[in-house]
Amino acid sequence: VYRDDEVDAGHPAAVHANTLRDSPHVDVVDEIVASSLGRDDISSMLAAELRLPRRLVDRLTAQVYNRTLGHAMFVVQLLNRLVGSGIVSYSPARQRYAWDEDRLARVRTFDSVASVIVSNLTSLDGTEPLKALRVLSCLLGRADLGLLRLLESNGTLSPDGGFETNLPPLVDGGIVE
């Protein structure tokens, strides 16, 4: 998975995709083109999620768009960070969502998807959630709790405290769903 505007023809992901596309042994190669979100898309999303008229989210929309250039993953990560840090929050006094313009202006943004992933992983507390993530990655990121409980019977595979206690930080950090 890669964005073609982030890799050149010599990048390993592009080379691999071309090899699959040209292979006589591969019947179907689907490419999903994910274009960037426009300012109007972001404005509509913010207005709907914050339950505010678009005119009230215009300044927030401008900040989000200017910092992410509409890259969907960056938009989602930035919004999650703004809510998680309390920069965007519900104001009982105003009876609506509001944001702190000064804190918003100081928020650091990322310049690559890899930077977002590294930041999410380094923000985890302890090594056990990473151990759970390693096991999940061997299962292609998909496993039900029954399988994870079975793996817990092998103490060397499961993180201390088990999977159920180590999955919430991964979910909360946006690393797994």
Side-chain angles (χ1 to χ4, degrees):
V1 175
Y2 69 96
R3 289 178 56 103
D4 61 1
D5 63 340
E6 294 178 353
V7 300
D8 60 20
H11 189 278
V15 170
H16 184 68
N18 287 333
T19 301
L20 288 174
R21 199 177 298 110
D22 297 340
S23 172
H25 305 290
V26 177
D27 292 330
V28 177
V29 175
D30 287 330
E31 292 185 51
I32 299 172
V33 178
S35 60
S36 294
L37 299 170
R39 189 180 297 258
D40 284 343
D41 299 320
I42 294 171
S43 179
S44 295
M45 180 173 60
L46 289 173
E49 291 301 316
L50 300 177
R51 293 172 180 80
L52 292 170
R54 285 178 68 146
R55 65 180 170 73
L56 292 181
V57 298
D58 281 346
R59 291 176 67 173
L60 180 59
T61 296
Q63 287 278 348
V64 171
Y65 182 79
N66 292 339
R67 292 167 177 269
T68 64
L69 298 178
H71 186 300
M73 181 176 177
F74 291 159
V75 169
V76 170
Q77 290 293 324
L78 177 58
L79 293 175
N80 284 339
R81 214 159 26 131
L82 295 177
V83 170
S85 66
I87 294 172
V88 173
S89 62
Y90 185 78
S91 167
R94 297 170 83 179
Q95 297 184 340
R96 67 175 180 87
Y97 281 90
W99 44 94
D100 184 327
E101 296 277 348
D102 294 332
R103 287 179 62 203
L104 179 59
R106 292 189 305 268
V107 170
R108 187 177 141 255
T109 54
F110 299 102
D111 58 356
S112 72
V113 173
S115 300
V116 172
I117 293 169
V118 168
S119 174
N120 287 345
L121 291 175
T122 57
S123 70
L124 292 172
D125 290 330
T127 59
E128 296 310 304
L130 288 175
K131 189 172 184 180
L133 183 60
R134 278 190 212 101
V135 172
L136 284 174
S137 69
C138 294
L139 301 170
L140 302 176
R142 295 188 182 273
D144 62 30
L145 285 176
L147 175 59
L148 295 177
R149 286 186 188 113
L150 180 64
L151 292 174
E152 285 176 0
S153 64
N154 178 338
T156 60
L157 290 177
S158 85
D160 290 343
F163 287 99
E164 285 187 71
T165 59
N166 286 288
L167 289 178
L170 298 172
V171 173
D172 295 342
I175 299 166
V176 299
E177 294 180 344

